[in-house]
Amino acid sequence: MSKQILVTRSSMPPMEEYIDEIKDIWDSHWLTNMGPKHKELQKKLEEYLDVDHIDLLTNGHMSLELTLQALNLQGEVITTPFTFASTTHAIVRNGLTPVFCDVDPKTYCMDPTKIEELITDRTCAILPVHVYGNVCDIEAIQKIADKYGLKVIYDACHTFGETYKGRGIGSYGDVSCFSFHATKVFNTIEGGAVCYHDERFGRDMYGLKNFGIRDQETVDAVGANAKMNEFCAAMGLCNLRHVDEEIAKRKKVVERYRANLDGIDGIQLNAIQPDVKSNYAYFPVIFEPETFGATRNEVFDALSKNNIYARKYFYPLTNTFECFHRQFDVTKTPVALHLSKRVLTLPLYADLDLNDVDRICEVIKSCAK
Ligand SMILES: *Cc1c(COP(=O)(O)O)cnc(C)c1O
């Protein structure tokens, strides 16, 4: 049996580097609650991501969930079903109603030409996702938000380190939420962040991530516990030193995939966006069975037989989840539905061997008619 290739593999610094980084924690006995590692990582990320303000959290999901709470939203939030469960759950867990907008067939991000028809007098915000690191149509979305007085919260979990028109991607919208989960381009084991402009939002968020406690005798919000601990922050400090190199290696993997798969009938590769500095987070491929000669599921199975594990990401759409008991009409997002049945995200991580990329592509090509 050929060697196993999983869809992703977490980036880790040299072990000695991490051990060195956490020595201070043994000296200080300060394990969590916004200690020195937390502060240092926060400052370094503010610079690296080129944003006004950033706050660090336990994970990407809490950054979305607490952002919606901190903005004190009520009513309906226009969002996309072509995303990870977290995006939709953050809306529903805040007592808000998700209203699903269809996506663009090339970027897989929210289609801005379909937003306005979904706006009602209950709409309070737009929550698009920069899916696979593809950047949404930021100008069009902002124009609509301004016209109707809506907040814009980006799920930027896939876009660590990207820039759009030379500006940090996290600087767009009212708030941009990042994930530093083990499987992401940059990880703090588990972790997340919010990037924002409004200092009042920052104060509210800081409270909400610590039970809404303002000071020892005042609790002024029904908060949660979502503070990044010192060990996670230390991992982030180490990984941040290597992230540019990791992204450069990912780029090589992506280029190898493209060299192998570009121009094959029935295969659509990810769009290249000229204004975006990419982080090469994912390599999604759309298989059109009529022209390619095999379905997405057949390709998935052929890869599995060769010990290669791609991911049906994003399938199923969040508006079809069992937990929502068919309350959403999936036929209203036909492009997203089409993509979710045809997409396969191929293995991609910094240390993926280029010969393995060739092998993956050979298996894919052997599925074609
Ligand atoms: C990873 C991810 C999240 C959630 O982040 P966690 O850190 O795992 O909580 C949310 N949205 C998207 C698009 C993601 O990929």
Side-chain angles (χ1 to χ4, degrees):
M1 192 70 181
S2 45
K3 88 170 175 219
Q4 189 184 53
I5 302 173
L6 301 180
V7 71
T8 188
R9 187 161 181 263
S10 299
S11 299
M12 292 172 85
M15 194 166 76
E16 306 71 44
E17 187 181 335
Y18 185 64
I19 289 171
D20 203 42
E21 192 66 53
I22 62 176
K23 276 188 182 133
D24 307 335
I25 306 177
W26 258 265
D27 296 338
S28 69
H29 284 244
W30 193 337
L31 307 185
T32 185
N33 285 42
M34 288 65 89
K37 300 287 172 199
H38 181 290
K39 290 202 175 79
E40 188 183 344
L41 182 62
Q42 182 163 332
K43 190 158 164 289
K44 294 221 158 103
L45 284 175
E46 207 166 85
E47 274 166 40
Y48 186 86
L49 295 176
D50 180 29
V51 291
D52 285 350
H53 304 291
I54 186 168
D55 200 2
L56 307 182
L57 298 149
T58 41
N59 56 56
H61 179 77
M62 288 312 286
S63 74
L64 286 164
E65 198 171 307
L66 294 182
T67 291
L68 297 174
Q69 187 182 353
L71 292 171
N72 208 1
L73 298 174
Q74 260 142 34
E76 297 171 356
V77 176
I78 297 176
T79 189
T80 163
F82 194 68
T83 184
F84 185 53
S86 172
T87 323
T88 305
H89 285 1
I91 296 169
V92 175
R93 287 172 59 83
N94 269 285
L96 296 157
T97 306
V99 173
F100 294 99
C101 182
D102 210 357
V103 299
D104 180 277
K106 288 283 185 284
T107 66
Y108 320 137
C109 295
M110 186 182 283
D111 182 347
T113 66
K114 302 202 175 127
I115 295 175
E116 274 193 275
E117 64 201 59
L118 300 173
I119 294 176
T120 70
D121 54 12
R122 299 194 65 227
T123 308
C124 57
I126 308 176
L127 204 176
V129 180
H130 298 305
V131 69
Y132 307 128
N134 297 346
V135 171
C136 296
D137 189 340
I138 287 175
E139 285 88 0
I141 291 169
Q142 195 58 53
K143 206 167 154 198
I144 295 166
D146 291 343
K147 181 170 165 193
Y148 294 92
L150 307 174
K151 296 282 184 206
V152 180
I153 303 119
Y154 283 108
D155 181 332
C157 288
H158 289 179
T159 46
F160 183 87
E162 292 197 338
T163 63
Y164 174 65
K165 297 194 169 163
R167 252 175 72 186
I169 192 68
S171 70
Y172 292 95
D174 292 282
V175 184
S176 289
C177 298
F178 287 89
S179 165
F180 307 147
H181 183 256
T183 55
K184 304 296 205 271
V185 168
F186 166 79
N187 84 76
T188 60
I189 309 171
E190 291 261 11
V194 288
C195 300
Y196 59 94
H197 308 282
D198 180 14
E199 288 181 19
R200 180 159 162 214
F201 170 86
R203 281 195 295 280
D204 290 345
M205 177 56 88
Y206 191 84
L208 287 176
K209 77 172 185 176
N210 190 24
F211 306 101
I213 295 172
R214 190 183 345 148
D215 59 43
Q216 285 192 10
E217 300 187 0
T218 323
V219 178
D220 51 18
V222 186
N225 180 2
K227 309 179 295 285
M228 181 182 285
N229 71 58
E230 292 290 280
F231 288 85
C232 289
M235 188 68 154
L237 286 168
C238 295
N239 278 334
L240 192 58
R241 292 181 199 121
H242 304 282
V243 73
D244 287 336
E245 195 189 318
E246 295 276 307
I247 291 171
K249 286 189 189 164
R250 284 174 171 273
K251 179 170 190 243
K252 290 224 157 61
V253 174
V254 165
E255 284 168 351
R256 189 71 156 234
Y257 269 126
R258 286 194 174 273
N260 273 294
L261 299 176
D262 207 8
I264 296 178
D265 274 354
I267 284 186
Q268 178 176 307
L269 302 183
N270 205 19
I272 293 176
Q273 298 178 295
D275 290 325
V276 176
K277 189 184 104 196
S278 176
N279 64 2
Y280 306 95
Y282 297 91
F283 198 78
V285 179
I286 310 292
F287 294 96
E288 296 291 351
E290 299 78 12
T291 31
F292 180 65
T295 63
R296 180 271 308 271
N297 287 353
E298 285 164 350
V299 178
F300 177 87
D301 291 342
L303 289 168
S304 304
K305 281 202 193 87
N306 284 276
N307 224 6
I308 299 161
Y309 299 93
R311 200 171 156 198
K312 299 175 192 176
Y313 192 65
F314 295 99
Y315 173 83
L317 296 179
T318 69
N319 55 0
T320 68
F321 284 176
E322 279 81 354
C323 58
F324 298 129
H325 307 291
R326 297 173 192 233
Q327 59 178 293
F328 307 113
D329 180 1
V330 71
T331 64
K332 288 189 172 151
T333 53
V335 177
L337 186 62
H338 180 101
L339 293 169
S340 74
K341 289 177 177 167
R342 287 163 178 77
V343 69
L344 203 56
T345 303
L346 301 182
L348 171 55
Y349 44 87
D351 288 325
L352 181 59
D353 195 310
L354 298 180
N355 294 317
D356 286 333
V357 175
D358 294 343
R359 187 161 73 83
I360 294 166
C361 294
E362 284 317 310
V363 175
I364 291 170
K365 288 181 203 166
S366 74
C367 298
K369 272 219 184 89

